[in-house]
Amino acid sequence: MANFKVTMQLDDLSCPSCMIKIQKALTGQPGLSKLNVLFNASKIKLVLDDTANNIENIQNILNHLGYPVQKVTVKE
Amino acid sequence: MSTLLGFALLFHFIHLSKLSQILILLVVLIGILPIFLRAISALQYKSISIELLISIAVLGALMIHEYDEAGIVVWLFTLGDWLQVIMLRKTRQSIRDLIKTVPTTALKVNTSDDRHYEEVAIDELVPNQYILVKAGSTIPVDGVVVQGTSYVNEASITGESKPTHKIVLSDVFAGTFVNDGTIVVKVNKTGDETVFGKLIELIEDAQDSQTKEQQFIDQFAQYYTPMILILGIVVALWTKNIETAITVLVLGCPGALVIGVPVSTVMGIGIAAKNGIITKGAASFNILTQRNYFIFDKTGTLTIGEPTVVKIENLMGEQDNNLKLLASIENESNHPLARAILKINKTNDFYPIQDIQTIPGQGITAHIDHQSILVGNPKMMQAKHIKIPASTTNIADSKVILTVNQRVHMILTINDQLRPNIQQNLERIKQQGAKKLILLSGDNQEAVDAIAKTLPLDQASGNLLPADKLTIVKQLQRQGESVVFVGDGINDGPALSQADLGIAMGGGTDIAIEVSDLVLVKSNLAQIPRAIKLAHATMHNMQQNIFIALATVLILFIGLFTNFVDMSMGMLVHELSVLLVVFNALRLNYFK
């Protein structure tokens, strides 16, 4: 299965507890094999095994948590 | 919200309490809603957040009719949150400034001769397309010049502020600045793929790397918030006093504690980047503040790595003509010494050459205008039985001898010069607490000794293979020493990655960036004492922030149990402590 490296630029993450929240919320999501929340860069980096569906799913969760995604870049 | 609260307080003072209470309730409602929603969403993912503590505290305050307290707490929390975002944005600014130097649009042309451009976003460009870059603008991509010439300032990548002359087929890099001339560039890489993009990505990732202190605090914070919630419940049950219980929740917010360390490191890393020191992790700061063994490679690290002609001895014939003869032959060679010789030749006018032949390890033979020419080292002259006059220059220097029809015409002395101010820089590193300074080189011992004589080194060894350097690093580590290895990244790779801290001379090479923990983008050794100083400053700042955070919580709790602190006062002190740690981190901005 192909792996995609996805970077999502979020609105400013303002408190490090956001990191824990995001980590807990995204861990175990389908297709997600690696997750790195970069608090200071206000970004998350993920490795996904599928793109369209999974990206949308993760964007929805982040929106729901109150961290809208500003920009998504996908690399194979 | 602030206006509403202001009016509420005003009405309170002029005894319109009903109106005042309605306004306060309005403030609470407007303010608590987003906080409450965030608390619920975190709870859904089994995370007990600061927002939950605040929500419970405010609801509790409303229940016991402490409307003013509830209003002030909500307002302070919202205000604090907003200020925090603004100040964090400031700490993140240094990286954003760097990114901004690369333009987001490019002038696309259809062919290399085309001058009719179309402005497109960088994201739309693909490799092998052509773009036009005008004088006075920044190159937006990595690529190759296919048309025109120019002088490009590459300081953003190499730190070399002297403009580089770019002609057709020269490589150019994103983020570098075209001083003059218009060029057409064939696109190779865009965005994150460019050398500059990779540097930025490294800095961004580094900003989120963690020191031991940070890891500890993160773990601590995970248990701390639920602990405060439990403490609140215990206090409520024990004292039967809801007000004290909810005050505990407000006072216990771990704001300054969780934010104190990351703001210090993010500032430290950002300032390092501004100074051309790219660190891959905050842990580098920790290592730099210890008493380390500093090991240096020679060529390219202590020396510039670019041979330069330091002495011309013209023994026969006209000097200009001799130089022209030399240059005509060296023009055919790729040898590093040839580059040094071509640099001193002023013209591009060369003689036609016949029968050119290279003798590996010795030199070149050729014929020019029916004369037999030899260009080579003393070994070659010995082999050809040509006697060369004794020279006064150092044994460690390289010599290139030009003979015409078996007679010595010219002797050039070429050496790889030491980097500027190297002596002062090494001395400073020592003053800053380095245990020993060691030179390890692949060059012969004579060359190493010649350099060691002039520098404040504790030990200097030559004739070493990359594997030998690795062994020495490992040996020192086995003796319990902390080792910093400074190299130029390619053949020093094993030692750089084995050392406790690998420092690479940048120069924009991918390998240098990949294997080490710290990259001196400007290949300037003065950056090492600077990095050590900054590391000390950052670590101090971090410790101050931990102290501020812990002291705040302690003082608040003492205040609570001695009845000096109520809920809104607690919130105020708490928010002030958060702002104080961010302010303290921003102080690093004035690092000189």
Side-chain angles (χ1 to χ4, degrees), chain A residues 7 9-10 12-17 19-21 24-26 29 36-43 45 61 64-67 71 73 75, chain B residues 38 41-42 44-47 49-51 81 84-85 88-89 92 96 123 192-193 201 204-205 207-208 210 218 222 258-259 262 265-266:
Chain A
T7 309
Q9 178 75 53
L10 308 178
D12 282 340
L13 290 180
S14 60
C15 58
S17 67
M19 272 173 77
I20 303 168
K21 233 195 281 182
K24 282 197 173 165
L26 294 187
Q29 286 301 316
N36 196 5
V37 184
L38 303 180
F39 170 71
N40 290 314
S42 201
K43 267 183 184 177
K45 290 190 174 181
I61 296 175
H64 184 64
L65 282 176
Y67 309 113
K71 194 181 163 195
T73 46
K75 263 190 262 174
Chain B
R38 259 148 56 192
S41 77
Q44 274 179 338
Y45 299 105
K46 299 186 190 71
S47 157
S49 58
I50 301 173
E51 285 87 354
D81 218 30
Q84 204 171 308
V85 169
L88 279 173
R89 203 170 282 167
R92 290 166 175 155
R96 302 240 160 117
D123 297 345
D192 296 347
E193 295 297 309
E201 212 174 318
E204 281 189 346
D205 287 358
Q207 290 201 311
D208 281 287
Q210 296 190 327
D218 275 2
Q222 243 182 343
V258 285
I259 210 158
T265 49
V266 78

Side-chain angles (χ1 to χ4, degrees), chain B residues 56-67 69-70 242 246 567:
Chain B
I56 295 174
V58 169
L59 284 179
L62 290 178
M63 268 163 56
I64 56 169
H65 307 292
E66 288 284 354
Y67 303 120
E69 296 264 334
I242 302 285
I246 55 182
M567 192 169 144

Side-chain angles (χ1 to χ4, degrees), chain B residues 78-117:
Chain B
T78 311
L79 179 71
D81 218 30
W82 178 70
L83 283 175
Q84 204 171 308
V85 169
I86 289 179
M87 289 175 49
L88 279 173
R89 203 170 282 167
K90 220 172 151 130
T91 66
R92 290 166 175 155
Q93 196 60 41
S94 52
I95 307 300
R96 302 240 160 117
D97 287 348
L98 269 179
I99 298 170
K100 262 192 226 147
T101 55
V102 178
T104 52
T105 59
L107 308 178
K108 195 180 126 194
V109 289
N110 291 322
T111 64
S112 57
D113 300 321
D114 193 6
R115 284 293 177 275
H116 299 286
Y117 57 80

